[in-house]
Amino acid sequence: MDKNAGATANVVVDAPKQLAKDAEWLLRRCTKPNQKEYLKIVQAVLMGFLVMGFVGYFTKLIHIPINNIIVGGA
């Protein structure tokens, strides 16, 4: 093996080691949300579902009559 192959092998070995080290650091820094934080997250997700549902519903509600006019009820 020449010098470049050895350097490439070191990079291939060092990258997963660094990833594992960074993942371990991140997991140590993370904490579980308390009840107040959890309820805020649930509320935000629920609002997102509701907004996207209404947007989809009204989009469908508007496009069905327009499609019938264009197609001619065929």
Side-chain angles (χ1 to χ4, degrees), residues 5-50:
T8 304
N10 285 339
V11 169
V12 170
V13 171
D14 289 341
K17 285 183 181 179
Q18 185 64 37
L19 177 65
K21 184 178 175 183
D22 291 342
E24 182 184 355
W25 175 84
L26 178 66
L27 289 175
R28 274 189 273 124
R29 298 265 309 165
C30 292
T31 58
K32 285 186 177 181
N34 60 25
Q35 186 176 6
K36 185 178 178 182
E37 291 171 332
Y38 183 75
L39 289 175
K40 281 281 197 186
I41 293 168
V42 169
Q43 183 182 18
V45 170
L46 183 62
M47 289 300 295
F49 273 116
L50 288 174

